[in-house]
Amino acid sequence: MNKYTPSAVFENAVLNERYEKYTHPSGLDIYIFKKKMTSVYAIFGTHYGSIHNSFSVGDDKTPITVPDGIAHFLEHKLFTNEDGSDSFERFSSYGADANAYTSFNKTAYLFSCTDRLSDSLGELIDFVTHPYFTKGSVRSEIGIISEEIRMYDDTPSDRCFYGMLEGMYKDHSIRRNICGSCESIREITPELLYKCYSAFYQLSNMALIICGDVDTDEVLDTAYAHLPATAEYVKVIPKNENAYEKRSVFNSYVHQKMQVSKPIFNIGFKDIDVSENGDERQRKDAAMAILDEMLFSRAGELYASLYDRGLISPAFSYGYTISESCAYNSLAGEADDPRLVLSEIQKYLKKVEKDGLSQSDFERGKRVMYAEFVKSFDSTESIANNLFNFICEGSELLSYGKIIDGITFEDVCELFKTSFAEDSVTLSVVYPL
């Protein structure tokens, strides 16, 4: 019998998957997903990313605006402890592989291990909950992150992707690099880092996820030993930048020249119809994923036509992204004439609009999406990261299969009508020098 009582249990009998949520007195939700695998994967994350650059705290509605790149900067600095030690080194001494990442709407600190789980878990909680910033350490980090920014700026695929975002959005902070710019990070101070930390690293805004063959009592004993007994809560409201964006794109064509052997492109279809409800966003995400599979997959008519005529290379990808403040559909690949590729795609979409979508393509797309969902439970890393994504979106992981099941052909047909307007598309191209 476990010592701790879960605050919620989530199950999917069809998949034979189950996980539990425990709520710590500090407000932190701890998720334990038991999986009979050799490695354990843990994430300690916060619903805070690069787009959260303007927010209000408590009853004061005056917006606080901070420099671009501060969420990523904060992620870097947390690994340095007050005694001068580096948490990466401690994880290595425990035999764990640690890392971290910042995305547009979240930050995650993580490790994987096969042994000494309690040591690594305690270290993960300790360094994330004990920030320490000085003027000297911030100054030295500016140089390190500036090099990282320059590296991304020299990477054609990154520049092509951000070119697409810069074209689609006029003001939304998603159009700016997650790392910020060399200019913006020079404005970061210890005081600003502490301000962002106190706002977004409240334990009630965070989640601790452990996936693997673990003992529940061991995990929770360790967590309780390292977490503060209680924590104050202050309401933080990020600015909803989606509300200020027009339906049409800011710039329909963005191009630049870099060291590439063949032009690469990103095509983005802007979507501002974003629900405040997490479950509704997940339903739209599932429907759009099925629609994309119907229209753009290698099994479809469009890809075969473009590839057979030599208009694109095999490296052609697509996907839909949605979060609480923005959404877009994107296509990416290589082509001698990206503008011709976009023209052919738009011709094809008009043909589909005239002839209608295929019921058989819908059934195929739905099977593919469900198969990918089932496959995502094959690794502890995939499970933990997907679970964190769903938590940040305010929805539940195991119910996604039911959401896919519930998507109808009529749902997808209705979605198609509003998803590919000509004034909602941006073409970003990187041409050879």
Side-chain angles (χ1 to χ4, degrees):
M1 180 69 73
N2 292 337
K3 294 193 299 186
Y4 301 89
T5 302
S7 53
V9 177
F10 305 94
E11 295 181 279
N12 186 313
V14 176
L15 296 175
N16 193 27
E17 301 288 0
R18 178 183 193 272
Y19 67 95
E20 298 172 344
K21 179 174 83 169
Y22 297 83
T23 302
H24 186 265
S26 65
L28 176 70
D29 286 330
I30 303 171
Y31 298 83
I32 299 178
F33 198 123
K34 292 192 178 183
K35 196 77 176 174
K36 290 279 187 183
M37 292 182 173
T38 55
S39 67
V40 175
Y41 197 93
I43 291 176
F44 195 10
T46 176
H47 188 188
Y48 169 54
S50 66
I51 65 172
H52 299 128
N53 280 350
S54 185
F55 55 92
S56 60
V57 178
D59 295 328
D60 186 356
K61 303 302 181 186
T62 306
I64 298 169
T65 302
V66 295
D68 292 334
I70 197 166
H72 172 259
F73 201 105
L74 184 50
E75 172 222 308
H76 271 236
K77 289 310 305 165
L78 276 184
F79 279 94
T80 303
N81 302 299
E82 188 171 359
D83 61 5
S85 64
D86 188 302
S87 288
F88 275 120
E89 295 175 0
R90 290 186 187 165
F91 281 114
S92 294
S93 71
Y94 300 145
D97 183 17
N99 210 335
Y101 63 83
T102 304
S103 71
F104 290 122
N105 70 336
K106 55 188 171 292
T107 307
Y109 305 85
L110 54 97
F111 71 83
S112 62
C113 68
T114 56
D115 196 17
R116 300 184 68 176
L117 171 61
S118 292
D119 290 332
S120 294
L121 184 57
E123 178 63 27
L124 179 68
I125 296 170
D126 284 346
F127 88 81
V128 174
T129 56
H130 292 83
Y132 179 70
F133 316 121
T134 65
K135 287 183 178 179
S137 67
V138 168
R139 199 160 44 241
S140 64
E141 197 67 37
I142 288 172
I144 295 168
I145 295 180
S146 293
E147 285 300 315
E148 186 177 349
I149 291 169
R150 281 189 280 269
M151 180 189 73
Y152 286 127
D153 284 345
D154 287 338
T155 304
S157 59
D158 285 325
R159 283 306 314 139
C160 193
F161 172 70
Y162 277 104
M164 177 190 74
L165 296 178
E166 290 160 11
M168 282 194 293
Y169 296 95
K170 181 178 184 292
D171 297 308
H172 199 299
S173 54
I174 197 173
R175 74 193 305 274
R176 296 186 282 278
N177 193 305
I178 289 170
C179 299
S181 66
C182 292
E183 293 73 29
S184 71
I185 64 171
R186 289 195 200 103
E187 301 172 22
I188 294 174
T189 64
E191 292 75 22
L192 285 174
L193 289 172
Y194 280 119
K195 184 173 287 188
C196 291
Y197 182 91
S198 64
F200 291 101
Y201 280 71
Q202 298 182 71
L203 290 171
S204 55
N205 190 51
M206 302 181 74
L208 179 62
I209 300 161
I210 300 92
C211 180
D213 191 7
V214 299
D215 177 81
T216 299
D217 286 346
E218 178 191 1
V219 167
L220 295 175
D221 282 347
T222 303
Y224 273 64
H226 289 266
L227 287 166
T230 59
E232 293 183 7
Y233 168 72
V234 180
K235 189 174 184 179
V236 177
I237 304 175
K239 177 182 177 183
N240 180 9
E241 297 183 85
N242 189 60
Y244 300 90
E245 283 287 338
K246 293 181 179 179
R247 186 171 298 275
S248 57
V249 297
F250 174 55
N251 193 343
S252 62
Y253 181 55
V254 178
H255 61 98
Q256 53 202 304
K257 292 186 176 183
M258 295 184 72
Q259 201 74 40
V260 292
S261 59
K262 189 174 187 176
I264 62 173
F265 67 86
N266 273 84
I267 297 168
F269 291 92
K270 185 178 180 180
D271 180 4
I272 65 167
D273 295 325
V274 179
S275 171
E276 294 183 2
N277 181 280
D279 290 336
E280 288 181 13
R281 289 197 300 273
Q282 290 304 321
R283 193 170 189 280
K284 185 169 186 177
D285 178 70
M288 187 61 81
I290 294 169
L291 179 58
D292 278 356
E293 180 69 23
M294 295 167 66
L295 296 172
F296 306 123
S297 76
R298 294 183 179 222
E301 176 188 336
L302 174 66
Y303 177 86
S305 173
L306 294 174
Y307 182 69
D308 289 347
R309 289 183 287 160
L311 298 183
I312 58 170
S313 70
F316 180 75
S317 60
Y318 55 90
Y320 181 67
T321 298
I322 188 168
S323 69
E324 73 273 21
S325 77
C326 63
Y328 58 88
N329 216 349
S330 62
L331 312 171
E334 291 182 331
D336 291 324
D337 189 347
R339 299 184 93 162
L340 176 59
V341 171
L342 175 57
S343 175
E344 291 297 309
I345 289 172
Q346 290 177 316
K347 282 182 190 175
Y348 172 73
L349 293 173
K350 286 186 182 299
K351 177 177 177 292
V352 173
E353 183 180 8
K354 178 174 175 289
D355 298 342
L357 292 165
S358 160
Q359 178 82 42
S360 61
D361 283 348
F362 167 74
E363 299 297 341
R364 174 184 57 80
K366 198 168 178 178
R367 286 194 300 270
V368 168
M369 292 314 304
Y370 197 85
E372 289 183 1
F373 175 64
V374 172
K375 190 178 179 182
S376 70
F377 293 93
D378 286 348
S379 81
T380 54
E381 177 180 354
S382 176
I383 292 168
N385 279 289
N386 285 338
L387 180 52
F388 183 45
N389 290 342
F390 274 77
I391 291 165
C392 288
E393 281 299 305
S395 53
E396 197 281 303
L397 173 63
L398 294 181
S399 64
Y400 192 64
K402 290 182 180 178
I403 290 175
I404 296 172
D405 280 341
I407 301 297
T408 66
F409 182 58
E410 290 71 27
D411 291 333
V412 173
C413 290
E414 283 300 309
L415 190 59
F416 175 80
K417 293 177 183 178
T418 59
S419 297
F420 302 103
E422 289 192 3
D423 65 349
S424 73
V425 63
T426 288
L427 172 64
S428 171
V429 185
V430 174
Y431 293 101
L433 291 170

